[in-house]
Each structure stands twice: as C-alpha cells, then as structure tokens.
Short mmCIF file of all heavy atoms in Angstrom, two decimals:
data_model
loop_
_atom_site.label_atom_id
_atom_site.label_comp_id
_atom_site.label_asym_id
_atom_site.label_seq_id
_atom_site.Cartn_x
_atom_site.Cartn_y
_atom_site.Cartn_z
N ASP A 24 -12.80 -23.04 -11.43
CA ASP A 24 -13.07 -24.23 -12.28
C ASP A 24 -13.64 -23.82 -13.62
O ASP A 24 -13.28 -24.46 -14.67
CB ASP A 24 -14.09 -25.06 -11.57
CG ASP A 24 -13.60 -25.63 -10.22
OD1 ASP A 24 -12.41 -25.90 -10.14
OD2 ASP A 24 -14.33 -25.64 -9.25
N THR A 25 -14.47 -22.80 -13.77
CA THR A 25 -15.18 -22.51 -14.99
C THR A 25 -14.65 -21.30 -15.74
O THR A 25 -14.87 -21.14 -16.89
CB THR A 25 -16.70 -22.27 -14.69
OG1 THR A 25 -16.83 -21.08 -13.96
CG2 THR A 25 -17.27 -23.40 -13.93
N GLY A 26 -13.84 -20.50 -15.03
CA GLY A 26 -13.35 -19.27 -15.66
C GLY A 26 -14.42 -18.15 -15.75
O GLY A 26 -14.13 -17.10 -16.28
N GLU A 27 -15.57 -18.41 -15.14
CA GLU A 27 -16.66 -17.38 -15.22
C GLU A 27 -16.24 -16.18 -14.43
O GLU A 27 -15.67 -16.21 -13.34
CB GLU A 27 -17.94 -17.97 -14.56
CG GLU A 27 -19.06 -16.94 -14.43
CD GLU A 27 -20.10 -17.45 -13.39
OE1 GLU A 27 -19.81 -18.39 -12.63
OE2 GLU A 27 -21.24 -16.84 -13.38
N VAL A 28 -16.44 -15.00 -15.00
CA VAL A 28 -16.22 -13.69 -14.30
C VAL A 28 -17.17 -13.57 -13.15
O VAL A 28 -18.38 -13.88 -13.26
CB VAL A 28 -16.30 -12.53 -15.27
CG1 VAL A 28 -16.16 -11.21 -14.55
CG2 VAL A 28 -15.32 -12.62 -16.40
N LEU A 29 -16.75 -13.03 -12.04
CA LEU A 29 -17.54 -12.74 -10.85
C LEU A 29 -18.82 -12.06 -11.27
O LEU A 29 -18.79 -10.98 -11.89
CB LEU A 29 -16.83 -11.87 -9.83
CG LEU A 29 -17.45 -11.69 -8.48
CD1 LEU A 29 -17.37 -13.03 -7.69
CD2 LEU A 29 -16.72 -10.63 -7.72
N PRO A 30 -20.05 -12.64 -11.09
CA PRO A 30 -21.23 -12.11 -11.56
C PRO A 30 -21.59 -10.80 -10.75
O PRO A 30 -21.14 -10.63 -9.69
CB PRO A 30 -22.29 -13.14 -11.27
CG PRO A 30 -21.69 -14.10 -10.25
CD PRO A 30 -20.24 -13.96 -10.45
N ASP A 31 -22.39 -9.93 -11.42
CA ASP A 31 -22.80 -8.63 -10.87
C ASP A 31 -23.32 -8.78 -9.45
O ASP A 31 -23.04 -7.92 -8.59
CB ASP A 31 -23.77 -7.94 -11.77
CG ASP A 31 -23.16 -7.58 -13.17
OD1 ASP A 31 -21.93 -7.37 -13.16
OD2 ASP A 31 -23.90 -7.50 -14.10
N ARG A 32 -24.14 -9.77 -9.26
CA ARG A 32 -24.67 -10.00 -7.91
C ARG A 32 -23.65 -10.14 -6.82
O ARG A 32 -23.73 -9.56 -5.76
CB ARG A 32 -25.61 -11.19 -7.89
CG ARG A 32 -26.20 -11.53 -6.50
CD ARG A 32 -27.02 -12.83 -6.56
NE ARG A 32 -26.21 -14.00 -6.91
CZ ARG A 32 -25.50 -14.67 -5.95
NH1 ARG A 32 -25.40 -14.25 -4.78
NH2 ARG A 32 -24.76 -15.70 -6.32
N LEU A 33 -22.57 -10.92 -7.18
CA LEU A 33 -21.52 -11.05 -6.17
C LEU A 33 -20.60 -9.90 -6.12
O LEU A 33 -20.02 -9.60 -5.07
CB LEU A 33 -20.75 -12.36 -6.52
CG LEU A 33 -21.50 -13.67 -6.31
CD1 LEU A 33 -20.63 -14.84 -6.71
CD2 LEU A 33 -22.04 -13.74 -4.91
N VAL A 34 -20.42 -9.18 -7.18
CA VAL A 34 -19.63 -7.94 -7.24
C VAL A 34 -20.30 -7.01 -6.14
O VAL A 34 -19.57 -6.38 -5.35
CB VAL A 34 -19.66 -7.25 -8.61
CG1 VAL A 34 -18.99 -5.84 -8.44
CG2 VAL A 34 -18.80 -8.04 -9.55
N LYS A 35 -21.59 -6.90 -6.26
CA LYS A 35 -22.32 -5.99 -5.24
C LYS A 35 -22.13 -6.51 -3.94
O LYS A 35 -21.92 -5.67 -2.93
CB LYS A 35 -23.80 -5.98 -5.68
CG LYS A 35 -24.67 -5.03 -4.77
CD LYS A 35 -26.05 -4.87 -5.36
CE LYS A 35 -26.82 -3.82 -4.56
NZ LYS A 35 -27.35 -4.34 -3.32
N ALA A 36 -22.21 -7.79 -3.70
CA ALA A 36 -22.08 -8.41 -2.36
C ALA A 36 -20.64 -8.13 -1.80
O ALA A 36 -20.51 -7.84 -0.64
CB ALA A 36 -22.32 -9.89 -2.36
N VAL A 37 -19.63 -8.23 -2.70
CA VAL A 37 -18.27 -8.03 -2.24
C VAL A 37 -18.07 -6.61 -1.82
O VAL A 37 -17.43 -6.30 -0.76
CB VAL A 37 -17.25 -8.36 -3.36
CG1 VAL A 37 -15.91 -7.81 -3.10
CG2 VAL A 37 -17.17 -9.87 -3.55
N ARG A 38 -18.63 -5.65 -2.56
CA ARG A 38 -18.51 -4.24 -2.20
C ARG A 38 -19.26 -4.01 -0.91
O ARG A 38 -18.75 -3.20 0.02
CB ARG A 38 -19.02 -3.38 -3.30
CG ARG A 38 -18.20 -3.52 -4.58
CD ARG A 38 -18.77 -2.54 -5.69
NE ARG A 38 -18.57 -1.18 -5.34
CZ ARG A 38 -19.14 -0.19 -6.09
NH1 ARG A 38 -19.72 -0.48 -7.24
NH2 ARG A 38 -18.92 1.05 -5.76
N GLU A 39 -20.44 -4.57 -0.70
CA GLU A 39 -21.20 -4.36 0.60
C GLU A 39 -20.47 -5.04 1.75
O GLU A 39 -20.53 -4.50 2.86
CB GLU A 39 -22.58 -4.93 0.41
CG GLU A 39 -23.48 -4.09 -0.52
CD GLU A 39 -24.84 -4.70 -0.62
OE1 GLU A 39 -24.98 -5.93 -0.24
OE2 GLU A 39 -25.76 -4.03 -1.18
N GLN A 40 -19.75 -6.10 1.43
CA GLN A 40 -19.12 -6.77 2.42
C GLN A 40 -17.94 -6.05 3.09
O GLN A 40 -17.57 -6.24 4.24
CB GLN A 40 -18.52 -8.13 1.90
CG GLN A 40 -18.06 -9.13 2.94
CD GLN A 40 -17.61 -10.47 2.27
OE1 GLN A 40 -16.84 -10.41 1.36
NE2 GLN A 40 -18.09 -11.55 2.81
N SER A 41 -17.42 -5.03 2.34
CA SER A 41 -16.32 -4.27 2.86
C SER A 41 -16.80 -3.47 4.06
O SER A 41 -15.92 -2.98 4.80
CB SER A 41 -15.78 -3.29 1.68
OG SER A 41 -16.78 -2.37 1.38
N LYS A 42 -18.11 -3.18 4.20
CA LYS A 42 -18.58 -2.45 5.37
C LYS A 42 -19.13 -3.37 6.37
O LYS A 42 -19.56 -2.85 7.50
CB LYS A 42 -19.63 -1.43 4.97
CG LYS A 42 -19.03 -0.35 4.00
CD LYS A 42 -20.08 0.71 3.67
CE LYS A 42 -21.26 0.17 2.94
NZ LYS A 42 -20.97 -0.41 1.61
N TRP A 43 -19.22 -4.63 6.08
CA TRP A 43 -19.91 -5.55 6.97
C TRP A 43 -19.03 -5.83 8.20
O TRP A 43 -17.80 -6.04 8.13
CB TRP A 43 -20.19 -6.94 6.27
CG TRP A 43 -20.93 -7.84 7.07
CD1 TRP A 43 -20.47 -8.70 7.98
CD2 TRP A 43 -22.38 -7.97 7.09
NE1 TRP A 43 -21.50 -9.40 8.60
CE2 TRP A 43 -22.68 -8.97 8.06
CE3 TRP A 43 -23.36 -7.32 6.42
CZ2 TRP A 43 -23.97 -9.32 8.40
CZ3 TRP A 43 -24.69 -7.72 6.77
CH2 TRP A 43 -25.06 -8.70 7.72
N GLY A 44 -19.71 -5.83 9.41
CA GLY A 44 -18.97 -6.14 10.60
C GLY A 44 -17.87 -5.13 11.00
O GLY A 44 -17.00 -5.49 11.77
N GLN A 45 -17.99 -3.93 10.60
CA GLN A 45 -16.95 -2.88 10.87
C GLN A 45 -16.98 -2.50 12.30
O GLN A 45 -16.00 -2.00 12.86
CB GLN A 45 -17.11 -1.70 9.97
CG GLN A 45 -16.57 -1.92 8.59
CD GLN A 45 -15.04 -2.29 8.60
OE1 GLN A 45 -14.28 -1.66 9.24
NE2 GLN A 45 -14.75 -3.36 7.91
N GLY A 46 -18.11 -2.62 12.97
CA GLY A 46 -18.12 -2.37 14.45
C GLY A 46 -17.21 -3.28 15.15
O GLY A 46 -16.45 -2.82 16.00
N PHE A 47 -17.37 -4.61 14.84
CA PHE A 47 -16.50 -5.58 15.45
C PHE A 47 -15.07 -5.41 15.09
O PHE A 47 -14.16 -5.29 15.91
CB PHE A 47 -16.94 -6.99 15.02
CG PHE A 47 -16.16 -8.14 15.58
CD1 PHE A 47 -16.71 -8.94 16.59
CD2 PHE A 47 -14.80 -8.45 15.14
CE1 PHE A 47 -15.94 -9.93 17.17
CE2 PHE A 47 -14.05 -9.46 15.73
CZ PHE A 47 -14.61 -10.25 16.72
N ALA A 48 -14.80 -5.27 13.78
CA ALA A 48 -13.40 -5.14 13.28
C ALA A 48 -12.70 -3.92 13.82
O ALA A 48 -11.56 -3.99 14.20
CB ALA A 48 -13.37 -5.13 11.77
N THR A 49 -13.44 -2.77 13.79
CA THR A 49 -12.86 -1.57 14.30
C THR A 49 -12.64 -1.59 15.77
O THR A 49 -11.57 -1.02 16.33
CB THR A 49 -13.76 -0.30 13.90
OG1 THR A 49 -13.98 -0.38 12.51
CG2 THR A 49 -13.05 0.98 14.24
N THR A 50 -13.59 -2.14 16.53
CA THR A 50 -13.44 -2.27 18.01
C THR A 50 -12.26 -3.13 18.35
O THR A 50 -11.48 -2.74 19.28
CB THR A 50 -14.75 -2.73 18.65
OG1 THR A 50 -15.76 -1.74 18.35
CG2 THR A 50 -14.62 -2.77 20.11
N GLU A 51 -12.08 -4.24 17.79
CA GLU A 51 -10.95 -5.13 18.11
C GLU A 51 -9.66 -4.43 17.81
O GLU A 51 -8.65 -4.58 18.54
CB GLU A 51 -11.08 -6.52 17.43
CG GLU A 51 -10.91 -6.52 15.99
CD GLU A 51 -10.49 -7.90 15.43
OE1 GLU A 51 -10.43 -8.87 16.24
OE2 GLU A 51 -10.23 -7.99 14.22
N TYR A 52 -9.65 -3.72 16.70
CA TYR A 52 -8.39 -2.93 16.40
C TYR A 52 -8.15 -1.85 17.38
O TYR A 52 -7.04 -1.65 17.85
CB TYR A 52 -8.51 -2.35 14.98
CG TYR A 52 -7.46 -1.40 14.68
CD1 TYR A 52 -6.10 -1.78 14.44
CD2 TYR A 52 -7.69 -0.04 14.70
CE1 TYR A 52 -5.12 -0.81 14.20
CE2 TYR A 52 -6.71 0.96 14.48
CZ TYR A 52 -5.45 0.58 14.19
OH TYR A 52 -4.44 1.52 13.97
N LEU A 53 -9.17 -1.06 17.68
CA LEU A 53 -9.02 0.04 18.65
C LEU A 53 -8.65 -0.49 19.95
O LEU A 53 -7.87 0.14 20.72
CB LEU A 53 -10.34 0.86 18.70
CG LEU A 53 -10.67 1.71 17.43
CD1 LEU A 53 -12.02 2.21 17.57
CD2 LEU A 53 -9.71 2.85 17.30
N ALA A 54 -9.19 -1.63 20.44
CA ALA A 54 -8.77 -2.21 21.65
C ALA A 54 -7.26 -2.48 21.76
O ALA A 54 -6.60 -2.24 22.73
CB ALA A 54 -9.57 -3.55 21.97
N ALA A 55 -6.73 -2.97 20.66
CA ALA A 55 -5.24 -3.14 20.57
C ALA A 55 -4.53 -1.85 20.64
O ALA A 55 -3.45 -1.74 21.24
CB ALA A 55 -4.91 -4.01 19.30
N CYS A 56 -5.08 -0.78 19.96
CA CYS A 56 -4.39 0.58 20.03
C CYS A 56 -4.35 1.04 21.43
O CYS A 56 -3.38 1.52 21.91
CB CYS A 56 -5.21 1.51 19.07
SG CYS A 56 -5.06 1.15 17.34
N TRP A 57 -5.55 0.98 22.13
CA TRP A 57 -5.57 1.47 23.48
C TRP A 57 -4.71 0.66 24.40
O TRP A 57 -4.07 1.21 25.32
CB TRP A 57 -7.06 1.48 23.94
CG TRP A 57 -7.88 2.55 23.39
CD1 TRP A 57 -9.00 2.46 22.54
CD2 TRP A 57 -7.75 4.03 23.57
NE1 TRP A 57 -9.55 3.68 22.24
CE2 TRP A 57 -8.74 4.64 22.89
CE3 TRP A 57 -6.82 4.77 24.24
CZ2 TRP A 57 -8.95 6.06 22.79
CZ3 TRP A 57 -6.94 6.16 24.24
CH2 TRP A 57 -7.98 6.75 23.54
N LEU A 58 -4.64 -0.66 24.11
CA LEU A 58 -3.77 -1.51 24.98
C LEU A 58 -2.29 -1.06 24.82
O LEU A 58 -1.54 -0.99 25.75
CB LEU A 58 -4.07 -2.94 24.66
CG LEU A 58 -3.30 -4.02 25.43
CD1 LEU A 58 -3.65 -3.85 26.97
CD2 LEU A 58 -3.63 -5.40 24.96
N ASP A 59 -1.93 -0.92 23.56
CA ASP A 59 -0.61 -0.52 23.26
C ASP A 59 -0.18 0.81 23.97
O ASP A 59 0.82 0.91 24.62
CB ASP A 59 -0.47 -0.35 21.72
CG ASP A 59 0.88 0.18 21.26
OD1 ASP A 59 1.81 0.09 22.00
OD2 ASP A 59 0.90 0.76 20.15
N LEU A 60 -1.13 1.78 23.89
CA LEU A 60 -0.91 3.03 24.53
C LEU A 60 -0.86 2.97 26.06
O LEU A 60 -0.14 3.64 26.69
CB LEU A 60 -1.90 4.11 24.10
CG LEU A 60 -1.78 4.56 22.61
CD1 LEU A 60 -2.76 5.66 22.30
CD2 LEU A 60 -0.38 5.11 22.34
N ALA A 61 -1.71 2.02 26.60
CA ALA A 61 -1.79 1.88 28.05
C ALA A 61 -0.45 1.43 28.62
O ALA A 61 0.06 1.90 29.61
CB ALA A 61 -2.87 0.84 28.40
N TRP A 62 0.22 0.50 27.86
CA TRP A 62 1.50 0.05 28.28
C TRP A 62 2.49 1.11 28.13
O TRP A 62 3.47 1.19 29.00
CB TRP A 62 1.90 -1.20 27.43
CG TRP A 62 1.27 -2.53 27.89
CD1 TRP A 62 0.45 -3.28 27.12
CD2 TRP A 62 1.35 -3.21 29.14
NE1 TRP A 62 0.02 -4.38 27.83
CE2 TRP A 62 0.59 -4.38 29.05
CE3 TRP A 62 2.05 -2.91 30.32
CZ2 TRP A 62 0.50 -5.23 30.09
CZ3 TRP A 62 1.92 -3.79 31.39
CH2 TRP A 62 1.15 -4.94 31.29
N HIS A 63 2.41 1.84 27.21
CA HIS A 63 3.54 2.82 26.81
C HIS A 63 3.32 4.28 27.26
O HIS A 63 4.04 5.15 26.87
CB HIS A 63 3.83 2.73 25.30
CG HIS A 63 4.40 1.47 24.97
ND1 HIS A 63 3.83 0.57 24.06
CD2 HIS A 63 5.57 0.79 25.34
CE1 HIS A 63 4.58 -0.58 23.92
NE2 HIS A 63 5.65 -0.41 24.65
#
C-alpha cells in the first residue's frame, strides 16, 4: 500500500524466522523420508 521498504526490525525477524520451528518442519519432512524408504 505505501511502498515502504521492509524495516530493519522486520528484516531481522524474517531472518530469524528462517530457523523458527525447524524441529517441527524437519521432523515432518524426515517422517515422509522414512515412510518412503519403509515402503521401498
């Protein structure tokens, strides 16, 4: 709406967010990997 560049505070939050919840994200991915290998 305003054309404002992403402020530094949110830049930092976005970068930190890339590591947020990686336990969940990695585990659900690995579960699919193990399931794939279990079948095959």
Side-chain angles (χ1 to χ4, degrees):
D24 297 324
T25 67
E27 173 197 18
V28 175
L29 188 71
D31 293 332
R32 176 184 64 81
L33 291 182
V34 170
K35 183 170 186 283
V37 166
R38 294 180 68 184
E39 290 178 347
Q40 193 176 49
S41 67
K42 297 185 298 297
W43 185 273
Q45 282 301 313
F47 182 105
T49 308
T50 299
E51 68 160 2
Y52 167 74
L53 291 169
C56 291
W57 285 115
L58 184 58
D59 175 21
L60 290 183
W62 283 117
H63 291 116

